[in-house]
Amino acid sequence: MTCARCQQFAAAPGGTLCVRCAVPGAVVRSPVGLGRATATLLGVVIAADLFAVVADVLEMNVTGDIAEGVTGADVVQRADHADALYNASGIAQAVALLATMTVYLCWLWRVRVNAEAFNPGGHSKARGWTIGGWFVPVVNLWFPRRVTLDIWDSSAPWAERPGHALVNLWWAMWIVSLFADRAADTESRHAHAAAALHQAASMMLVSDVIDIAAAALAVLVVLKITRMQHGRALAGPVPVPALG
């Protein structure tokens, strides 16, 4: 008897699936709803980052003026306004990131399980690394990329292997944004003089712009994988060439 899922290999004795397809819990479920929600929340992250960019510019302007010796009630008022926006933008970014991360991980788990159903042997990392890979120090610099690439390849249309340029670009931008944010945060915490605060705001501006680019690329990756899996599910099992 041929496997009812892949229709390529013989089903295991007493079952309807082959050994490769008999993956516990690997049942295809639609990723469309979660994919759209994740893309929308990534858009919220971009909006929060744009708000932060405005706050960064205002902070740079006022600290630059103070560093140059400009004084007066107007400068004090601008400084208070810039600080308020700067703090508010940080809170907005944190809330947006937390909400997006929660939904994104739900989407990622869904598409990973789907990918196992499509291609049980196409995954180099255990399923647990789909979530854990983001939180374990050091390995979180490359495990999520590897998991995403395995999902990407396993979700591709039959007999097709899409290039990895988009995933690689997204991951490179994400890593750069992490280090840029760390550097900007360190500079900000140690800055006290106006000149140092101006430098910290400049670094934070660069970090926020990079984060916008990383989030935009993440939207493209999420939508692409979601579309591939939706199309793969609609296409059904791989066609078997007729014999004779």
Side-chain angles (χ1 to χ4, degrees):
M1 176 180 176
T2 303
C3 174
R5 177 174 293 156
C6 69
Q7 297 188 6
Q8 290 182 307
F9 306 101
T16 59
L17 302 178
C18 66
V19 175
R20 288 169 55 89
C21 289
V23 180
V27 178
V28 176
R29 298 175 61 192
S30 174
V32 174
L34 281 173
R36 289 174 178 170
T38 302
T40 299
L41 285 171
L42 283 167
V44 174
V45 168
I46 293 173
D49 286 337
L50 288 172
F51 176 33
V53 165
V54 173
D56 294 335
V57 171
L58 293 177
E59 187 77 7
M60 286 173 56
N61 290 340
V62 72
T63 53
D65 287 345
I66 294 173
E68 292 175 359
V70 179
T71 59
D74 177 64
V75 173
V76 174
Q77 185 178 6
R78 287 170 52 212
D80 290 342
H81 178 63
D83 287 343
L85 283 182
Y86 200 71
N87 293 331
S89 67
I91 294 173
Q93 285 178 302
V95 171
L97 181 62
L98 181 61
T100 303
M101 180 178 67
T102 301
V103 177
Y104 172 82
L105 290 178
C106 291
W107 169 83
L108 190 64
W109 184 266
R110 172 73 57 84
V111 295
R112 167 57 194 258
V113 173
N114 287 349
E116 289 179 14
F118 294 143
N119 183 19
H123 304 275
S124 58
K125 306 300 178 188
R127 189 187 295 178
W129 286 114
T130 305
I131 306 298
W134 289 91
F135 300 101
V136 178
V138 182
V139 301
N140 60 3
L141 296 177
W142 75 89
F143 269 35
R145 170 187 171 274
R146 184 65 262 170
V147 169
T148 302
L149 285 176
D150 290 341
I151 294 171
W152 181 275
D153 290 339
S154 298
S155 304
W158 299 116
E160 291 186 22
R161 185 180 177 85
H164 295 160
L166 179 58
V167 175
N168 288 335
L169 182 59
W170 156 68
W171 188 249
M173 195 63 68
W174 168 252
I175 294 298
V176 171
S177 73
L178 287 180
F179 284 102
D181 182 68
R182 180 68 60 86
D185 183 64
T186 301
E187 184 73 16
S188 180
R189 284 187 287 106
H190 292 87
H192 300 289
L197 289 170
H198 178 77
Q199 176 65 20
S202 301
M203 294 178 65
M204 192 61 73
L205 173 63
V206 172
S207 172
D208 289 332
V209 170
I210 294 173
D211 194 60
I212 289 172
L217 289 168
V219 170
L220 297 179
V221 172
V222 168
L223 293 179
K224 178 65 174 179
I225 290 177
T226 300
R227 282 195 297 266
M228 287 196 298
Q229 289 206 347
H230 183 64
R232 182 76 175 261
L234 293 178
V238 61
V240 179
L243 301 176

